[in-house]
Amino acid sequence: MNHKKATEEILYDLFGKGNLTHYEKLVSDEIKVHFPLSWKPIYSNCLLEKKQVRMADQHYAKAFQIQKIEILELISIQEKTLARWAFEGMITEDFFSIKKSKTSIHLTGQTIYQFDKQGKVCEAWQFWDLFKDHNDPLPRLSSRERQCLQLHLQGKTAKESALILNLSF
């Protein structure tokens, strides 16, 4: 399975439908997941074991009823894939310190997945904005932002990217 297809399966099936059937096929035993600092009061902002990651994913799948999921952009370079996504749904069970609610939630964010040689996710970086109201249209990346992101996914530093793109640093 290519990295884009695997990323779509993770977002649409695992997170969108709560379907963990293909978890073993998609996630490496050596998984490491990084979360934004806002996650720290809920759970550690870095999970280093597959057992911890699966437990958090199972809890997420039970707590959120996703009504709509959209992948806004999907960029894949070598072993890394970036997805910008938007979810709409409800929190149907308490999710750590977030209490269940019958009101709609809007969750937008980005995920970078790194794949190992077997095509499984071995590292992930999660970023999202759970509590902001996103009624405004979501911005698309400009061509310059896309170029910078592609260089970042290739492991280039900000200084290297500025040199390559003829930007001042």
Side-chain angles (χ1 to χ4, degrees):
M1 179 181 302
N2 72 42
H3 300 156
K4 281 187 175 183
K5 291 277 186 214
T7 300
E8 288 172 340
E9 185 170 346
I10 291 167
L11 291 174
Y12 288 128
D13 290 342
L14 196 147
F15 291 108
K17 298 177 185 170
N19 180 359
L20 300 173
T21 305
H22 297 128
Y23 201 85
E24 299 304 318
K25 176 183 86 170
L26 296 167
V27 179
S28 168
D29 290 339
E30 307 300 319
I31 185 73
K32 181 177 182 181
V33 180
H34 308 273
F35 296 98
L37 289 177
S38 64
W39 177 259
K40 200 167 189 170
I42 300 168
Y43 210 75
S44 167
N45 65 325
C46 183
L47 299 178
L48 303 174
E49 297 176 15
K50 187 173 186 176
K51 182 179 173 184
Q52 289 179 321
V53 174
R54 185 177 178 105
M55 184 187 81
D57 287 342
Q58 286 172 322
H59 197 170
Y60 169 89
K62 286 176 62 180
F64 289 88
Q65 179 185 7
I66 303 301
Q67 296 156 336
K68 180 182 175 187
I69 180 171
E70 181 182 5
I71 296 176
L72 304 170
E73 288 192 79
L74 193 57
I75 301 169
S76 189
I77 298 174
Q78 298 169 0
E79 75 282 350
K80 290 183 182 169
T81 299
L82 169 100
R84 281 192 339 107
W85 44 261
F87 292 173
E88 289 180 26
M90 292 187 343
I91 302 173
T92 56
E93 289 188 19
D94 290 351
F95 185 66
F96 299 101
S97 64
I98 301 172
K99 299 299 178 197
K100 72 178 178 179
S101 133
K102 294 296 180 189
T103 60
S104 243
I105 61 158
H106 302 276
L107 176 64
T108 62
Q110 307 89 42
T111 304
I112 299 173
Y113 291 116
Q114 181 166 336
F115 292 86
D116 63 17
K117 301 261 188 260
Q118 291 76 40
K120 295 182 178 186
V121 175
C122 61
E123 195 158 6
W125 293 263
Q126 299 276 17
F127 307 95
W128 61 79
D129 187 353
L130 176 58
F131 300 107
K132 184 178 178 196
D133 182 15
H134 290 286
N135 291 327
D136 296 331
L138 293 170
R140 301 288 182 201
L141 293 177
S142 70
S143 62
R144 180 61 82 183
E145 290 169 324
R146 184 180 289 272
Q147 289 172 324
C148 288
L149 178 60
Q150 288 174 338
L151 291 169
H152 174 71
L153 289 172
Q154 292 172 5
K156 303 291 185 198
T157 65
K159 191 171 190 175
E160 290 169 326
S161 296
L163 287 171
I164 292 167
L165 297 173
N166 294 319
L167 301 172
S168 60
F169 183 75

